[in-house]
């Protein structure tokens, strides 16, 4: 009994592995997609939150400077009567400093740069001549100013807000100004230091020269730093956000906003790593909710795999028992509930029937010509026996290569072999799928055309003759063939041997008539030598 070696893997295992792989890949893809989406959402929200916060602080700072200038403007109008009354001047600077806490110190300077009044008086600058850059700028430009950070006469790093004092006659009397300390407690620190971050976030303020005006780390105030956001970007858009990288290579999410009245920029930073910290817990939650559904899907896949594989496994098992007597009945009993299994079952039953039939035994006996791969004479005889048994009518073509001996003598036997192979291939290409081709020996071939009538046989004969005639062969050139055609039918009294002899006789008729043509034998009471010569 035929027994096939069973492979190590069966269909059920393959389907199960496919289902598991699909579930794992789908779950991994879902987790990755969720991670990517949530990552982008967290980064986008943080960037926008930083931008909004920086914009809010910038707006608050802008309003503060506007109020401070308004206060100084009012005092400048009060002082327009003159700067001669020291008591009035002192009362005004004390009022400005103590009423709103907008300034750390307030000073009134005359047109020559001499301090006429100052609050607090502990600074002991009254009667002194101011030479700081902020004081010189206020005297020179004689307009409302917010200075660049500078050191005061008392050695304080500050920003100076000043307003010119004009007399009622229009003469310049000096200016009144207030200072905001950058390294000490001031209204600026109160405005910007209300938010306390615990996740590594940073807030700082820089001017147009990238000098730090405010920083949570007081040691950074007054230093020139890498702004992370270029001046061009800051000046192009009043506010915005972007991803930046610090000098240490840390990725940060930045929001920024300008303070137009002072030319400052407020920057808020949050580490990307701190922003993405919630992602891990989020992915664990997604995984926790996805695993039960994945397991349920896997169980369903296993059940389906079992049901799908069962009929195929049964058919495969019977395939190793094809030579047993009861295999057809057993295969018929297999329940093939889907299309593919049903078709395989049908094909197996048809195969068993064919194998048990004479055609199956015939195929096992067929021999081929080793040079051309066509049937040899033994194979042809087996085919003819089958046609005779099944009473299948057919036409036979006897073909011979013209002047083949001349080819061998002129170009050698290797060239002759190539000619035989080329003719065999042209016969295969010109024949129908059901036609049988054999090499009868030497340069002779035969074609059996099942069910072919006279017209079909002549058409095929002419087709192969022309294909061979038109096919170039190096170095021989073009060759031709002569073809004889005969017919066999179970209704006639002639034997198959007689039919083959008629085809041979018709072939020689074609040779004698000049070669490269088709001659059809007439089936009459006369000898088959009487033939019709077809025009070329």
């Amino acid at each position: 009994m035929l027994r096939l070696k069973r492979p190590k893997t069966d269909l059920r295992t393959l389907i199960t592995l496919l289902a598991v792989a699909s579930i794992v890949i789908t779950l991994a893809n879902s987790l990755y997609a969720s991670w990517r989406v949530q990552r982008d959402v967290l980064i986008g929200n943080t960037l926008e939150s930083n931008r909004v916060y920086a914009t809010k602080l910038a707006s608050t700072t802008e309003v503060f400077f506007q109020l401070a200038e308004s206060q100084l403007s009012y005092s400048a109008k009060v002082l327009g009567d003159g700067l001669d009354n020291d008591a009035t001047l002192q009362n005004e600077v004390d009022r400005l400093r103590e009423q709103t806490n907008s300034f750390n110190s307030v000073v009134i300077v005359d047109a020559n740069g001499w301090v006429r009044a100052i609050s607090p008086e502990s600074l002991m600058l009254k009667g002194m001549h101011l030479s700081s850059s902020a004081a010189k700028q206020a005297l020179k430009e004689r307009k409302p100013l917010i200075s660049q950070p500078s050191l005061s006469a008392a050695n304080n790093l500050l920003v100076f807000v000043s307003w010119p004092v004009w007399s009622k006659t229009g003469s310049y009397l000096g200016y009144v100004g207030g200072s905001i300390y950058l390294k000490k407690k001031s209204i600026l620190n109160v405005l910007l230091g209300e938010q306390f971050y615990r996740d590594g976030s940073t807030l700082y303020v820089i001017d147009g020269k990238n000098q730090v005006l405010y920083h949570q780390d007081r040691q950074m105030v007054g230093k020139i730093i890498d702004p992370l956001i270029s001046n061009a970007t800051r000046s192009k858009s009043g506010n915005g956000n972007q991803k930046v990288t610090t000098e240490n290579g840390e990725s940060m999410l930045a929001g920024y906003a300008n303070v137009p009245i002072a030319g400052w920029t407020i920057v808020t930073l949050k580490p990307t790593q701190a922003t993405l910290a919630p992602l891990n817990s989020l992915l664990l939650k997604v995984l926790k909710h996805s695993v039960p559904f994945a397991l349920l899907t896997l169980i369903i896949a296993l059940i389906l795999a079992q049901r799908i594989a069962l009929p195929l496994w049964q058919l495969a098992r019977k395939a190793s028992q094809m030579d047993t007597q009861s295999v057809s009945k057993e295969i018929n009993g297999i329940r093939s509930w889907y299309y593919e299994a049903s078709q395989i079952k049908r094909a197996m039953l048809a195969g068993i029937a064919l194998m048990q039939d004479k055609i199956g035994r015939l195929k096992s006996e067929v021999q081929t010509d080793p040079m051309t791969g066509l049937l040899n004479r033994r194979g042809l005889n087996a085919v003819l026996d089958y046609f005779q048994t099944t009473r299948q009518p057919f036409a036979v073509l006897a073909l011979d290569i013209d002047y083949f001996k001349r080819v061998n003598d002129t170009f050698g036997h290797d060239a002759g072999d190539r000619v035989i192979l080329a003719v065999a291939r042209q016969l295969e290409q010109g024949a129908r799928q059901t036609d049988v081709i054999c090499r009868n020996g030497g340069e002779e071939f035969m074609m059996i055309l099942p069910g072919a009538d006279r017209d079909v046989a002549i058409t095929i004969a002419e087709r192969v003759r022309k294909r061979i005639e038109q096919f170039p062969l190096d170095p021989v050139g073009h060759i031709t063939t002569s073809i004889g055609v005969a017919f066999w039918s179970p209704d006639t009294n002639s034997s198959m041997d007689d039919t083959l002899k008629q085809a041979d006789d018709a072939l020689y008729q074609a040779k004698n008539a000049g070669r490269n043509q088709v001659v059809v034998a007439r089936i009459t009471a006369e000898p088959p030598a009487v033939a019709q010569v077809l025009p070329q």
Side-chain angles (χ1 to χ4, degrees):
M1 181 181 294
L2 178 63
R3 287 290 183 269
L4 298 178
K5 185 178 180 181
R6 181 177 178 180
K8 296 180 180 180
T9 305
D10 56 20
L11 181 62
R12 181 176 60 182
T13 304
L14 291 175
I15 295 176
T16 303
L17 291 176
L18 178 61
V20 172
S22 299
I23 293 170
V24 171
I25 292 172
T26 301
L27 183 59
N29 184 64
S30 299
L31 289 175
Y32 176 74
S34 177
W35 178 83
R36 287 291 303 180
V37 170
Q38 292 300 326
R39 181 180 183 276
D40 293 342
V41 168
L42 286 174
I43 290 176
N45 288 344
T46 301
L47 285 171
E48 181 61 16
S49 177
N50 285 349
R51 183 195 69 80
V52 171
Y53 182 59
T55 302
K56 178 183 176 182
L57 291 180
S59 177
T60 303
T61 306
E62 179 87 3
V63 171
F64 162 73
F65 278 120
Q66 290 174 352
L67 292 175
E69 287 186 333
S70 176
Q71 295 168 12
L72 294 175
S73 173
Y74 177 79
S75 293
K77 291 179 181 179
V78 172
L79 298 173
D81 293 334
L83 304 181
D84 299 328
N85 190 330
D86 290 346
T88 301
L89 298 182
Q90 189 61 46
N91 288 335
E92 186 62 25
V93 293
D94 287 339
R95 182 190 67 80
L96 274 173
R97 187 178 69 85
E98 296 175 0
Q99 188 176 33
T100 62
N101 290 327
S102 297
F103 305 108
N104 291 92
S105 63
V106 180
V107 65
I108 296 176
V109 180
D110 64 18
N112 296 316
W114 296 97
V115 177
R116 300 300 301 275
I118 188 167
S119 179
E121 294 184 79
S122 60
L123 293 175
M124 296 183 294
L125 295 177
K126 184 176 180 180
M128 294 185 63
H129 187 272
L130 296 182
S131 60
S132 66
S133 59
K136 291 179 179 179
Q137 184 181 12
L139 290 173
K140 180 181 179 181
E141 298 189 14
R142 298 182 178 183
K143 65 179 183 180
L145 288 175
I146 300 175
S147 73
Q148 295 294 321
S150 62
L151 286 174
S152 67
N155 202 33
N156 287 318
L157 184 65
L158 54 80
V159 172
F160 191 63
V161 184
S162 63
W163 197 276
V165 178
W166 300 90
S167 69
K168 294 180 179 180
T169 60
S171 60
Y172 179 67
L173 300 179
Y175 61 85
V176 57
S179 63
I180 302 172
Y181 293 166
L182 298 179
K183 289 190 173 183
K184 296 181 179 180
K185 183 178 180 181
S186 67
I187 187 65
L188 185 62
N189 288 279
V190 174
L191 288 174
L192 300 177
E194 290 181 350
Q195 302 296 328
F196 297 93
Y197 296 95
R198 298 179 182 177
D199 55 4
S201 297
T202 305
L203 170 69
Y204 63 86
V205 182
I206 55 176
D207 62 11
K209 296 181 180 179
N210 299 329
Q211 185 176 13
V212 178
L213 308 178
Y214 170 81
H215 200 287
Q216 289 165 300
D217 181 3
R218 293 289 180 88
Q219 300 297 323
M220 296 295 297
V221 177
K223 294 183 179 180
I224 304 296
I225 65 169
D226 179 4
L228 300 180
I229 302 168
S230 66
N231 292 339
T233 301
R234 282 150 38 199
S235 60
K236 183 177 180 181
S237 57
N239 60 70
N241 56 57
Q242 67 181 68
K243 297 180 184 178
V244 296
T245 304
T246 65
E247 294 178 351
N248 299 327
E250 184 180 10
S251 176
M252 305 287 281
L253 305 176
Y256 62 91
N258 294 334
V259 183
I261 194 171
W264 296 356
T265 300
I266 297 177
V267 180
T268 57
L269 296 171
K270 185 174 183 180
T272 303
Q273 185 176 2
T275 300
L276 300 179
L279 267 183
N280 293 331
S281 60
L282 178 64
L283 287 179
L284 287 176
K285 290 180 180 178
V286 172
L287 185 62
K288 181 179 178 181
H289 289 87
S290 300
V291 166
F293 292 101
L295 291 177
L296 179 60
T297 304
L298 179 59
I299 293 172
I300 295 173
L302 290 173
I303 295 173
L304 288 176
Q306 172 70 20
R307 292 204 60 196
I308 292 172
L310 181 60
L312 294 179
W313 177 80
Q314 292 173 331
L315 290 171
R317 204 173 157 202
K318 296 305 175 185
S320 62
Q321 305 171 5
M322 296 282 282
D323 53 349
T324 61
Q325 293 294 327
S326 61
V327 67
S328 295
K329 182 177 180 181
E330 293 173 356
I331 290 175
N332 265 322
I334 295 174
R335 184 172 175 268
S336 51
W337 56 274
Y338 55 92
Y339 176 77
E340 287 77 7
S342 175
Q343 291 298 103
I344 293 174
K345 175 180 175 180
R346 183 180 301 174
M348 289 181 65
L349 292 172
I352 293 172
L354 289 174
M355 183 183 67
Q356 294 173 349
D357 192 77
K358 187 175 180 180
I359 296 178
R361 294 193 301 274
L362 175 64
K363 289 182 179 179
S364 65
E365 296 172 357
V366 169
Q367 300 295 321
T368 59
D369 175 56
M371 178 186 294
T372 62
L374 301 176
L375 293 178
N376 58 17
R377 188 58 188 250
R378 181 182 177 186
L380 176 64
N381 289 336
V383 171
L384 294 176
D385 288 344
Y386 171 73
F387 284 156
Q388 188 169 26
T389 302
T390 59
R391 300 178 63 79
Q392 170 73 45
F394 61 87
V396 58
L397 308 184
L399 301 93
D400 186 84
I401 301 173
D402 297 332
Y403 302 111
F404 183 72
K405 185 176 183 302
R406 185 186 302 172
V407 171
N408 279 335
D409 294 343
T410 305
F411 301 101
H413 290 281
D414 289 341
D417 291 345
R418 289 197 296 272
V419 168
I420 291 174
L421 282 172
V423 170
R425 299 292 83 82
Q426 293 302 313
L427 291 176
E428 289 176 333
Q429 294 173 17
R432 301 174 303 175
Q433 188 174 0
T434 56
D435 296 339
V436 179
I437 308 170
C438 81
R439 184 184 176 199
N440 204 26
E443 69 273 24
E444 296 181 2
F445 296 86
M446 276 196 176
M447 292 181 66
I448 306 299
L449 314 180
D453 58 15
R454 177 187 178 88
D455 292 337
V456 172
I458 293 173
T459 299
I460 295 175
E462 283 293 333
R463 183 166 64 209
V464 297
R465 182 188 66 79
K466 291 178 180 178
R467 288 183 66 93
I468 295 170
E469 180 184 15
Q470 295 169 0
F471 187 75
L473 285 168
D474 186 35
V476 178
H478 292 274
I479 60 170
T480 60
T481 55
S482 299
I483 303 175
V485 183
F487 302 91
W488 181 85
S489 172
D491 298 330
T492 62
N493 295 325
S494 61
S495 66
M496 288 190 175
D497 290 338
D498 293 338
T499 301
L500 296 181
K501 187 175 184 309
Q502 289 175 6
D504 283 336
D505 291 342
L507 168 63
Y508 287 109
Q509 288 273 345
K511 290 280 189 182
N512 295 330
R515 293 179 171 81
N516 190 24
Q517 55 187 289
V518 176
V519 173
V520 181
R522 279 201 306 264
I523 302 177
T524 63
E526 300 297 327
V530 180
Q532 177 183 359
V533 181
L534 296 181
Q536 295 186 26

